[in-house]
Amino acid sequence: MKKNVLIIGAGGVAQVVAHKCAQHNDVLGDIHIASRTLDKCQALVDSVREKGSLKTAGELQAHALDALDVEATKALIAKTESQLVINVGSAFINMSVLQACIDTGAAYLDTAIHEDPAKICETPPWYANYEWKRRELCEQNGITAILGVGFDPGVVNAYASVAYNEYFDSVDSIDIIDINAGSHGKYFATNFDPEINFREFTGQVWSWQNSQWTSNQMFEVKRTDDLPVVGSQTSYMTGHDEVHSLSQNLKVPNVRFWMGFGEHYINVFTVLKNLGLLSEQPVTTAEGLEVIPLKVVKAVLPDPSSLAPDYSGKTCIGDVVKGKKDGKDKEVFIYNVADHAEAYAEVGSQGISYTAGVPPVAAAILIANGAWDVQKMVNVEELDAKPFINLLNEMGLPTRIKDEQGDRALSF
Amino acid sequence: MKKNVLIIGAGGVAQVVAHKCAQHNDVLGDIHIASRTLDKCQALVDSVREKGSLKTAGELQAHALDALDVEATKALIAKTESQLVINVGSAFINMSVLQACIDTGAAYLDTAIHEDPAKICETPPWYANYEWKRRELCEQNGITAILGVGFDPGVVNAYASVAYNEYFDSVDSIDIIDINAGSHGKYFATNFDPEINFREFTGQVWSWQNSQWTSNQMFEVKRTDDLPVVGSQTSYMTGHDEVHSLSQNLKVPNVRFWMGFGEHYINVFTVLKNLGLLSEQPVTTAEGLEVIPLKVVKAVLPDPSSLAPDYSGKTCIGDVVKGKKDGKDKEVFIYNVADHAEAYAEVGSQGISYTAGVPPVAAAILIANGAWDVQKMVNVEELDAKPFINLLNEMGLPTRIKDEQGDRALSF
């Protein structure tokens, strides 16, 4: 029974994680929240207390931490006696937080792949560039490290493995579709940190097709689907974390990720990109000031966490899986629909943060109760998906399946 | 006979001014070029020498100068014995250069209105906020100061006064139309310093209508004209210098300025403006760096002077003037068409810089030969337009007129 959670990060996803940990603190024990800015952590603590999210009386504390400092992170893990570390900070800190977990024996969970601030669109599979280099070390030390356990990556990996193991004899393609049919009412905003959000789209798009890596340009390939609840939606092939693990862990010749974008988003993105304003390479102003354009764009855009109060509409994220069953063609769509306003009412965050923040808490509970305490490094598709999907059904992210038998709730 | 020219500025327009002064150095005497960056001045000197533009043997020198430093500017005027100062530097330096001219007795010429870096879209008439406050001082000291003697403002003011004095009994409207039908082949670029260029469009648009100041938003009001050479063109009502002097100096109830924009330009501009990236107010990045977004946009855009080699197509700039003559309605269009490639071949600059840079040299010649040495501060419509138009006909900017009698060259 692992206990006590250290949450690293204090953004919109961290807020969801904090509330959900609080709702399950009978299982998870003490809750500690750490990020560079103590005030932001304290705001999460205050939010949890205001909404009365703590299930039982227990510790809930804010801490200032530079998570790139491995020794400081180890010290905080030790001081707080945390056995579970949920890293929902910047994508640049994964490797240092993971090292702190390996050194202290704590379980490690994150929701997005490690990134080097100076690089975009590295060669696939991306996990092999960073996290997977620590696989042996985790196994030797009995460290449970669950990579990419947000919604996508994360829940969609579980959907892929459920389809692969339960519904097909052979799978030909997994197409993960991420649609945000909500509206934040601003001229333009990103739902995550703009710096991370834009980096997903600025370079090559890697997909796994015909059992090999294929490269396209962003917005080069699109599809339109008639989806449950959100209706007809156009999405674009995008490079994304889960393609890099699913392609290696499942025997499926085609794994692709598709993200929905409206024409307005694409227009703004295209203008910024073509002007060079999304560059992570510094430019020098006429006055001699060295500036990274992307950081200025981030500074002028709305803070993603500020969008939540006015966000309306729904998200639909799921896996279209095609293959053979009993000699016949088969197709299933396994998916979740989340509502922005409901998420805000429950935890004070919008639906995108909600879908990303609930799953790592479910995973932490599964580690705490032993079901997922595998004492090695894994991606989600390597774990038993059934208890995860069942727990998410109870925690606010219900799974549905649509196939030739209709559209229905999925549980095991 | 005033002699010796000090050119302040070293951008695309200064390049044209340098070449044109050189072509007329038998009249204008020594030529000195000064700006903050000596290398840029030296590049202009080299360009003039390479093209063999000097008409007769004579001085041609580069100087480093902070033109905001009045004493330093006075010292350079004295040292170079310049009696003519052509200010084609940043719009922020007008008042300090003008002061240096007043103190030394040199004639002053510029091509754009003074601006305060911290303000945009000041209350009209703009000239009254800065330059016109020195009118009395100029008159007392016998200083010839010709304001706004580029193409627009400048030549279009002369076109307005010619129409007003020669072709009408009463004028109802002057609509100045500025069309650049050329192509630079880049995704996006401004033809002038982006910082000045965008400031023209970011706030209110002031026009003089029904004998009063009227305010609109940028891109709110447009017109489409079938123009000579460049054909059907859409232009948008824009705030511009000449509206502010013509409205005060001529008895005309409607004075408006229209600038041509393609849909692509408007789209990029609209995205940048709505995101706050054209703001001259600083923002702070997540890392704590204070940055003015507009200066970063400037840093990522192509240097306007770099556009010249590949610029093709033509500009068409002129005045549509409507009114009464002998009791009947009358309309004339007085205009110039310039060619980007021809301008580059002659002086190494594109057509926009060419149209802006030739007129102040013509004006300097008219001061040198006495025709325009009025020993007071004036805007161009207050001067005799005929020798100016005649001289421009010879110097590469021929004037044409189109009315009920057809489309023909105009000279006096």
Side-chain angles (χ1 to χ4, degrees):
Chain A
M1 188 68 184
K2 286 196 160 59
K3 293 260 289 184
N4 298 349
V5 182
L6 174 61
I7 302 166
I8 297 182
V13 178
Q15 166 138 345
V16 179
V17 170
H19 277 270
K20 284 292 180 184
C21 284
Q23 290 175 13
H24 296 271
N25 75 332
D26 53 333
V27 180
L28 294 173
D30 299 345
I31 301 165
H32 297 274
I33 307 172
S35 79
R36 273 185 306 187
T37 314
L38 184 62
D39 286 355
K40 292 175 79 174
C41 300
Q42 190 57 49
L44 299 195
V45 167
D46 296 344
S47 169
V48 169
R49 293 205 189 281
E50 276 162 27
K51 284 207 186 277
S53 293
L54 283 167
K55 186 169 182 183
T56 66
E59 283 289 341
L60 174 63
Q61 283 183 23
H63 305 267
L65 174 69
D66 173 4
L68 290 170
D69 181 341
V70 174
E71 292 307 315
T73 307
K74 286 163 63 175
L76 187 59
I77 291 171
K79 182 178 133 192
T80 58
E81 298 180 6
S82 298
Q83 294 178 290
L84 298 156
V85 175
I86 300 179
N87 168 22
V88 283
S90 148
F92 307 143
I93 65 171
N94 287 14
M95 294 309 291
S96 51
V97 175
L98 175 60
Q99 189 60 51
C101 288
I102 292 170
D103 291 350
T104 56
Y108 172 85
L109 303 94
D110 67 31
T111 64
I113 212 160
H114 183 80
E115 293 191 45
D116 180 329
K119 296 180 186 171
I120 56 167
C121 295
E122 298 192 58
T123 50
W126 293 342
Y127 285 107
N129 295 322
Y130 300 103
E131 285 89 343
W132 288 352
K133 290 181 176 165
R134 299 287 177 275
R135 270 174 166 169
E136 271 188 47
L137 199 59
C138 285
E139 189 134 23
Q140 285 163 11
N141 290 273
I143 302 299
T144 297
I146 305 184
L147 305 178
V149 65
F151 204 99
D152 46 336
V155 178
V156 297
N157 303 50
Y159 290 173
S161 81
V162 156
Y164 187 86
N165 293 317
E166 306 290 327
Y167 292 94
F168 291 87
D169 296 326
S170 67
V171 172
D172 179 60
S173 63
I174 298 170
D175 286 292
I176 299 159
I177 301 175
D178 180 333
I179 301 293
N180 174 19
S183 170
H184 48 58
K186 307 276 184 192
Y187 174 75
F188 185 83
T190 56
N191 294 302
F192 280 115
D193 181 349
E195 217 176 325
I196 304 300
N197 199 254
F198 285 134
R199 289 166 64 101
E200 290 187 348
F201 320 133
T202 39
Q204 283 173 293
V205 167
W206 287 107
S207 60
W208 180 253
Q209 302 199 71
N210 299 314
S211 302
Q212 59 189 12
W213 290 109
T214 305
S215 170
N216 288 92
Q217 291 303 300
M218 190 62 208
F219 301 122
E220 184 184 340
V221 190
K222 66 178 174 178
R223 62 184 284 157
T224 299
D225 296 271
D226 187 22
L227 297 171
V229 185
V230 297
S232 177
Q233 296 284 345
T234 298
S235 58
Y236 296 81
M237 202 161 72
T238 310
H240 223 248
D241 311 8
E242 49 271 56
V243 175
H244 294 257
S245 68
L246 291 171
S247 64
Q248 309 304 303
N249 289 327
L250 302 182
K251 284 192 171 41
V252 175
N254 298 288
V255 183
R256 293 167 290 239
F257 184 90
W258 307 82
M259 188 165 283
F261 294 97
E263 285 180 17
H264 174 64
Y265 186 103
I266 295 172
N267 179 45
V268 171
F269 173 84
T270 303
V271 166
L272 293 176
K273 181 179 173 222
N274 283 341
L275 292 181
L277 286 166
L278 300 185
S279 174
E280 78 287 358
Q281 300 297 321
V283 297
T284 305
T285 70
E287 292 72 23
L289 188 66
E290 198 168 82
V291 192
I292 294 171
L294 180 53
K295 290 184 183 294
V296 180
V297 171
K298 176 177 171 173
V300 300
L301 289 181
D303 181 336
S305 68
S306 74
L307 305 173
D310 299 317
Y311 227 123
S312 61
K314 294 177 194 295
T315 65
C316 177
I317 315 175
D319 298 26
V320 175
V321 183
K322 294 183 182 179
K324 296 278 188 190
K325 181 69 177 176
D326 301 328
K328 286 194 290 190
D329 287 343
K330 183 178 170 72
E331 175 176 342
V332 303
F333 182 48
I334 306 178
Y335 70 98
N336 165 264
V337 169
D339 184 277
H340 289 291
E342 286 176 14
Y344 184 67
E346 184 190 335
V347 300
S349 294
Q350 32 90 335
I352 311 269
S353 300
Y354 191 83
T355 58
V358 174
V361 181
I365 292 170
L366 293 176
I367 296 173
N369 71 23
W372 275 14
D373 192 11
V374 291
Q375 302 187 11
K376 59 182 178 178
M377 174 182 283
V378 289
N379 292 83
V380 174
E381 64 273 22
E382 299 176 75
L383 296 163
D384 182 3
K386 294 174 185 175
F388 188 46
I389 289 172
N390 287 343
L391 185 52
L392 290 170
N393 283 339
E394 295 167 17
M395 287 179 68
L397 290 178
T399 297
R400 296 185 67 84
I401 185 168
K402 185 181 177 186
D403 61 10
E404 72 283 355
Q405 294 173 39
D407 186 333
R408 60 207 182 276
L410 180 66
S411 64
F412 299 93
Chain B
M1 187 69 184
K2 286 197 160 58
K3 292 259 294 183
N4 297 350
V5 183
L6 173 61
I7 302 166
I8 297 182
V13 177
Q15 167 139 346
V16 179
V17 171
H19 277 270
K20 284 292 179 183
C21 285
Q23 291 175 13
H24 297 270
N25 74 332
D26 53 331
V27 180
L28 295 173
D30 299 345
I31 301 166
H32 296 273
I33 308 172
S35 80
R36 273 186 306 187
T37 313
L38 184 62
D39 286 354
K40 293 175 78 175
C41 300
Q42 190 57 49
L44 299 195
V45 167
D46 295 345
S47 169
V48 169
R49 294 205 189 281
E50 275 161 29
K51 285 207 186 277
S53 293
L54 283 167
K55 186 168 182 182
T56 66
E59 282 290 341
L60 174 63
Q61 282 184 22
H63 305 265
L65 174 70
D66 173 5
L68 289 171
D69 181 341
V70 174
E71 293 306 316
T73 307
K74 286 163 64 175
L76 187 60
I77 291 171
K79 182 179 133 191
T80 58
E81 298 180 3
S82 298
Q83 294 177 290
L84 298 157
V85 175
I86 301 180
N87 169 22
V88 283
S90 148
F92 307 143
I93 65 172
N94 287 14
M95 294 309 290
S96 51
V97 175
L98 176 60
Q99 189 59 51
C101 289
I102 292 170
D103 291 351
T104 56
Y108 171 86
L109 304 94
D110 67 31
T111 64
I113 211 159
H114 183 79
E115 292 191 45
D116 179 330
K119 295 180 185 171
I120 57 167
C121 295
E122 298 191 58
T123 50
W126 293 342
Y127 285 107
N129 295 320
Y130 301 102
E131 286 90 342
W132 287 352
K133 291 180 176 165
R134 299 289 177 274
R135 271 174 166 169
E136 270 188 48
L137 199 58
C138 286
E139 189 134 23
Q140 285 163 11
N141 290 273
I143 301 300
T144 297
I146 305 185
L147 304 178
V149 64
F151 203 98
D152 46 337
V155 177
V156 297
N157 303 49
Y159 290 172
S161 81
V162 157
Y164 187 86
N165 293 317
E166 306 290 326
Y167 291 94
F168 291 88
D169 296 326
S170 67
V171 173
D172 179 61
S173 63
I174 299 170
D175 286 291
I176 299 158
I177 301 175
D178 179 333
I179 301 293
N180 174 18
S183 170
H184 49 57
K186 307 276 184 192
Y187 174 74
F188 184 83
T190 57
N191 294 303
F192 280 114
D193 180 350
E195 217 176 327
I196 304 300
N197 200 252
F198 285 133
R199 288 166 65 101
E200 289 187 348
F201 320 133
T202 40
Q204 284 173 292
V205 167
W206 287 108
S207 61
W208 181 253
Q209 302 199 70
N210 300 314
S211 302
Q212 60 188 12
W213 290 108
T214 306
S215 170
N216 288 91
Q217 290 303 300
M218 190 60 208
F219 301 122
E220 185 184 341
V221 190
K222 66 178 175 178
R223 62 185 285 157
T224 299
D225 295 271
D226 187 21
L227 298 172
V229 186
V230 297
S232 177
Q233 295 284 345
T234 298
S235 59
Y236 296 81
M237 202 161 72
T238 310
H240 223 247
D241 311 9
E242 49 271 56
V243 175
H244 294 257
S245 68
L246 290 171
S247 64
Q248 309 305 301
N249 289 326
L250 302 182
K251 282 191 173 41
V252 176
N254 297 288
V255 183
R256 292 167 291 239
F257 184 90
W258 307 81
M259 188 165 282
F261 294 97
E263 285 179 18
H264 174 65
Y265 186 103
I266 294 172
N267 179 45
V268 171
F269 173 83
T270 303
V271 166
L272 293 176
K273 181 178 175 224
N274 283 340
L275 292 180
L277 286 166
L278 300 186
S279 174
E280 77 287 0
Q281 300 297 321
V283 297
T284 305
T285 69
E287 292 73 22
L289 189 66
E290 199 169 83
V291 192
I292 294 171
L294 180 53
K295 291 185 183 293
V296 180
V297 170
K298 176 177 172 174
V300 300
L301 290 181
D303 182 337
S305 68
S306 74
L307 305 173
D310 298 317
Y311 227 122
S312 62
K314 295 178 193 295
T315 65
C316 177
I317 315 175
D319 297 26
V320 175
V321 183
K322 294 183 182 178
K324 295 279 188 191
K325 180 70 177 176
D326 301 328
K328 288 194 289 188
D329 287 343
K330 183 178 170 73
E331 175 176 341
V332 303
F333 182 49
I334 305 179
Y335 70 98
N336 165 264
V337 170
D339 184 276
H340 289 291
E342 287 175 13
Y344 184 67
E346 183 190 337
V347 299
S349 294
Q350 33 90 334
I352 312 270
S353 300
Y354 191 84
T355 58
V358 175
V361 182
I365 292 170
L366 293 176
I367 297 174
N369 71 23
W372 275 15
D373 192 11
V374 291
Q375 303 187 10
K376 59 181 179 177
M377 174 181 284
V378 289
N379 292 83
V380 173
E381 64 272 23
E382 299 175 76
L383 295 163
D384 182 2
K386 294 174 185 175
F388 188 46
I389 288 173
N390 287 343
L391 184 52
L392 289 170
N393 283 339
E394 294 167 18
M395 287 179 69
L397 290 178
T399 296
R400 296 184 67 85
I401 184 168
K402 186 181 177 187
D403 61 9
E404 72 282 357
Q405 295 172 39
D407 186 333
R408 62 206 181 276
L410 181 65
S411 63
F412 299 95

